[in-house]
Amino acid sequence: MAISISSTAAAHVAEQLADRGHGIGIRVGVKTTGCSGMAYVLEFVDKLEVGDEIFEEQGVKIIVDPKSLVYIDGTEMDFVKHGVNEGFEFKNPNAKGECGCGESFSI
Amino acid sequence: MQSLIRNYFTLFNLPEACELDQESLSAEYRRQQGEVHPDRFANAEEPEKLRAVQLSSYLNEAYETLKSPLRRAAYLLSLRDIDVEQVNQNDLSMDLLLEQIQLREKLDELPIDESALASLDALRSEVNVKLEKQEKKFAEFFDLENFNEAKKVYHELQFLYKLSAEIDAGEEIRLGY
Amino acid sequence: MALLQIQEPGGKQAKPLHRRAVGIDLGTTNSLVSASCGPGVETLPDSAAQHLLPSVVHYSKGKPPLVGVEAKALLVDDPLNTIASVKRLLGKSLSELKAKQDYLPFEFDEARADGAPAILTEAGSKDVVQISADILSALVERAEASLKGALEGAVITVPAYFNDAQRQQTKDAAQLAGLNVLRLLNEPTAAAVAYGLDSNDQGNVVVFDLGGGTFDVSLLSLKNGVFEVLATGGDTSLGGDDIDHAIAEWIAAQLQESAAVAVPSVAKLRQLANAAKHELSDKPQTAIVINQFSALLEESTLKKLTADMIRRTIMSCRRVLRDAGLAVADIDNIVMVGGSTRMPLVRDAVAEFFGKTPLTDIDPDKVVAIGAGIQADVLIGNKSPDSFLLLDVNPLSLGIETMGELVEKIIPRNTTIPVAKAQEFTTFKDGQTVMSLHVVQGERELVSDCRSLARFELRDIPAMVAGAAKIRVSFQVDADGLLSVSAEELSTGKKAEIQVKPSYGLKSSVIEEMLQDSQSHAKIDMEARSIKEAQLEATQLLDAIANALLVDGNLLSREEADSLAESIKALENTMTSGGSVQIHAATEELNQASSDFAAKRMDLHIANALRGESIDAVEK
């Protein structure tokens, strides 16, 4: 079981953590919402919850709760630019369909 | 775009009348431009940008129409289904035409150099006094719903504004532009 | 998929990322780039701590172009491959540039199909868009190094008098340099923005921009965080260079009087003059020394030398005030832009005219770039959108060619943009199915004196009698001041549309002179216009009579026909040689002479119609 992160994404995470000034790492997870069922969660982590799994990749701590882990195991996190927009992108081998907006996915 | 075709006065929350509070007009114009101007959509998708250009252009047109007393007068008449483009020769009195000819002769006779600037200023004040008088007269007729007379005064106003523009052009020539 | 940003724990919105946006002042002589650094916007220096980047590009074979100080150093040694002042070439066709008297030391690429000016260099043929893009790239590189990351957007300033072609090419150059152009911003507006936000003023602001070669003046109103450009004006051939020139001439005159030493080269004189001008910014007098010769230039002398130029700048101020319908007393602030406003004489004249001390806190060379940077920060979304809004105007009138080569203005100058206006036109000839539309820009009344922007055709108009078709022509100017035009035949809904791009190879007077031209020619224009109109009226009458003669010529007796032919001949002669009054008179005469004929035709047609034949059928 693992989650991977590209070096660009890792650099951006590190930079934003440094900018923020505090935090252990980032939480990657899923929550139920949206048109096709589930949406990604991406947030800073100040405090660990019971059962959290911690992955250390490229010097960045990625924290995933056990329920989410089932859905996003094997996911690759990248940082990309589309025109004037930039942000994080997930490549999930488990996802079968995405809604138009791309914020939700189904398995 | 259908939703755009609205009364300009309603658009700016103003009473539909000749007298107009320029301050309220300009404040409301600025407020609304603040919402629809393309600069607010510099990062938006193409259709939104296009809509911003359309809305903002419409707002500009409405504002320019109400801001200018002459255009406002024409617009008020058009709201009463009176076509100001249709000029009936009988609408223009002989006195008016003679007065216009005299004023124009005065303008043409001025020397073409800077020495005429003071006379131009005097002529401009003369025209401005007449403009103010006629604008009042227009409002009076319009408020009495005597639109035929109001239309005649409108044509007088047209003459005066045209003359005023010619005085400006005359000043430009003499200022050496 | 949508791109995600890292959120605060519990789904709270994280502080939005600061996005990298810059303001760029792409100048004729120097260019600058600015960005928000901490609390305010500042211009960004290069590694040698220089803020100004000379707008000079040097091309050599197999190497990337050199931009800035290094390129400037090669101007004298390698003039064919070193290009300065490319901004002056924007929007011009090759033929226009060649027609200009100014000597340009380049070899132009004659092989280019589109007639756009391109310069042959060691590194190949470079057009003005490419050269401008190379300057922009140097600024982008500087900004990205300084901001540590790729730029997401830029606001680029252009002179207020820039026409559509010049704006379009500036935008093209930015896109070629990989920039996302958030907005093209008028330079004086940018300057007012730089001051406006710092002092949070309300009221009317005059921006007085006296650069090396041009003078611009704008009047803006600032209220509740909204800037509105009320009017712009200026003089495109007036600047600090003219002041240097006047001083240089004075030095030459002093030298000739003393006859002690030979008059040095023009370049040397200019250099001495420029140095003297700078000296006089701090001191009441300065000595000019050439070998044994020495002359004392006093402020009072300089005042005399520059009196006419300064008077012209003040006249422009007066005119802009009038365009906006304001008086001197209505002006709350005056912003000074451009190196030449450092001259105390200029500052004093401005202060005297407006009765107020002008604002000079921000470096007049940097103020435009700083304003552009502030606007970029707002447009990219770093600042709250309520902070301020800019309402700009179009600097030159836009119109369409009508019959007789006259210009019908659709959007007058100083109209707030974006703006959309439509006007209806009709066909000129019976059965006309194609209408060609010629879009022009400028203040003059005749097409040949305005700038040609584009030509296009509306086809498949249903055949009708002249004047029956209704064609609506719509002009739309967007917030960058760029124009698109569409034409629609109202009964069929047939449409044609064009996005106006620079058009080359069209004969037209040089754009910078156009604004000035329009005023000095107003009088001549009036008569020229009257003649054109009279000629048109005469042509229409002649055509109508010729047609009538073809159909119903047999209605006339020999004497009647001869007398009519005489009047026709008289009008034809007057048309080519006479003034508007004479043409009118001759037209009126022919009208009279043909009235009996017209009456006879009318009688005949009515009689025919009563017999059950349609008039149409008779006409054929």
Side-chain angles (χ1 to χ4, degrees), chain C residues 436-581:
Chain C
S436 14
L437 294 132
H438 184 198
V439 184
V440 298
Q441 184 169 39
E443 308 312 314
R444 301 281 299 276
E445 308 230 338
L446 295 181
V447 167
S448 50
D449 296 327
C450 289
R451 173 90 189 178
S452 172
L453 289 180
R455 289 170 193 271
F456 70 112
E457 282 184 346
L458 179 66
R459 297 180 164 276
D460 300 335
I461 299 169
M464 290 182 237
V465 291
K470 278 191 172 175
I471 288 124
R472 175 179 291 156
V473 178
S474 310
F475 276 48
Q476 170 80 68
V477 178
D478 69 12
D480 287 326
L482 298 171
L483 171 71
S484 53
V485 179
S486 67
E488 184 181 7
E489 201 286 305
L490 294 176
S491 69
T492 56
K494 187 85 199 165
K495 235 177 161 173
E497 190 152 15
I498 193 162
Q499 183 84 40
V500 176
K501 294 265 180 188
S503 54
Y504 302 104
L506 295 157
K507 62 173 170 120
S508 90
S509 47
V510 180
I511 184 70
E512 272 79 6
E513 289 152 16
M514 276 192 349
L515 263 176
Q516 269 177 291
D517 252 25
S518 81
Q519 272 75 41
S520 49
H521 290 82
K523 258 253 138 74
I524 309 163
D525 269 4
M526 294 289 229
E527 175 57 10
R529 184 171 186 137
S530 301
I531 290 181
K532 284 271 179 193
E533 277 170 353
Q535 285 172 339
L536 203 64
E537 196 188 349
T539 310
Q540 281 173 331
L541 181 64
L542 288 169
D543 283 356
I545 292 179
N547 275 330
L549 282 171
L550 266 181
V551 181
D552 294 325
N554 55 346
L555 292 176
L556 293 176
S557 71
R558 202 196 176 101
E559 294 79 54
E560 284 172 327
D562 283 351
S563 132
L564 192 58
E566 212 168 282
S567 297
I568 291 174
K569 196 151 195 91
L571 178 57
E572 282 172 345
N573 284 339
T574 319
M575 251 179 81
T576 48
S577 55
S580 59
V581 179

Side-chain angles (χ1 to χ4, degrees), chain C residues 256-573:
Chain C
Q256 261 155 6
E257 221 167 81
S258 82
V261 282
V263 177
S265 71
V266 174
K268 175 73 184 163
L269 279 174
R270 282 288 184 105
Q271 204 184 343
L272 285 165
N274 188 272
K277 179 177 78 176
H278 285 284
E279 283 266 305
L280 283 176
S281 286
D282 320 312
K283 294 183 203 157
Q285 59 182 50
T286 179
I288 292 149
V289 183
I290 307 164
N291 301 333
Q292 309 89 340
F293 169 85
S294 167
L296 203 61
L297 179 62
E298 294 185 18
E299 196 173 11
S300 57
T301 314
L302 183 64
K303 194 170 180 175
K304 272 189 214 126
L305 292 175
T306 56
D308 184 54
M309 280 168 259
I310 291 177
R311 188 187 63 89
R312 279 161 67 196
T313 65
I314 299 300
M315 289 297 189
S316 289
C317 293
R318 195 187 285 276
R319 175 156 172 239
V320 163
L321 281 177
R322 212 207 49 221
D323 279 356
L326 292 181
V328 163
D330 298 322
I331 303 306
D332 301 285
N333 280 301
I334 306 110
V335 170
M336 300 297 256
V337 185
S340 302
T341 61
R342 289 201 178 88
M343 280 181 71
L345 281 174
V346 174
R347 290 183 179 187
D348 292 350
V350 171
E352 195 193 344
F353 176 71
F354 287 103
K356 274 187 191 72
T357 313
L359 296 173
T360 51
D361 307 346
I362 305 179
D363 182 338
D365 285 324
K366 293 179 182 169
V367 61
V368 166
I370 289 173
I374 293 173
Q375 177 72 348
D377 222 22
V378 171
L379 291 182
I380 200 79
N382 286 340
K383 277 222 166 66
S384 117
D386 313 322
S387 42
F388 75 88
L389 182 69
L390 270 176
L391 298 172
D392 231 327
V393 298
N394 70 321
L396 294 164
S397 299
L398 297 162
I400 204 127
E401 174 173 353
T402 61
M403 279 188 298
E405 287 189 23
L406 299 175
V407 178
E408 177 80 29
K409 281 178 190 166
I410 310 261
I411 301 179
R413 79 188 152 102
N414 284 334
T415 304
T416 308
I417 53 172
V419 60
K421 284 206 198 282
Q423 199 150 315
E424 278 176 22
F425 292 88
T426 188
T427 44
F428 173 44
K429 289 208 170 103
D430 288 349
Q432 183 180 341
T433 57
V434 178
M435 185 180 239
S436 14
L437 294 132
H438 184 198
V439 184
V440 298
Q441 184 169 39
E443 308 312 314
R444 301 281 299 276
E445 308 230 338
L446 295 181
V447 167
S448 50
D449 296 327
C450 289
R451 173 90 189 178
S452 172
L453 289 180
R455 289 170 193 271
F456 70 112
E457 282 184 346
L458 179 66
R459 297 180 164 276
D460 300 335
I461 299 169
M464 290 182 237
V465 291
K470 278 191 172 175
I471 288 124
R472 175 179 291 156
V473 178
S474 310
F475 276 48
Q476 170 80 68
V477 178
D478 69 12
D480 287 326
L482 298 171
L483 171 71
S484 53
V485 179
S486 67
E488 184 181 7
E489 201 286 305
L490 294 176
S491 69
T492 56
K494 187 85 199 165
K495 235 177 161 173
E497 190 152 15
I498 193 162
Q499 183 84 40
V500 176
K501 294 265 180 188
S503 54
Y504 302 104
L506 295 157
K507 62 173 170 120
S508 90
S509 47
V510 180
I511 184 70
E512 272 79 6
E513 289 152 16
M514 276 192 349
L515 263 176
Q516 269 177 291
D517 252 25
S518 81
Q519 272 75 41
S520 49
H521 290 82
K523 258 253 138 74
I524 309 163
D525 269 4
M526 294 289 229
E527 175 57 10
R529 184 171 186 137
S530 301
I531 290 181
K532 284 271 179 193
E533 277 170 353
Q535 285 172 339
L536 203 64
E537 196 188 349
T539 310
Q540 281 173 331
L541 181 64
L542 288 169
D543 283 356
I545 292 179
N547 275 330
L549 282 171
L550 266 181
V551 181
D552 294 325
N554 55 346
L555 292 176
L556 293 176
S557 71
R558 202 196 176 101
E559 294 79 54
E560 284 172 327
D562 283 351
S563 132
L564 192 58
E566 212 168 282
S567 297
I568 291 174
K569 196 151 195 91
L571 178 57
E572 282 172 345
N573 284 339

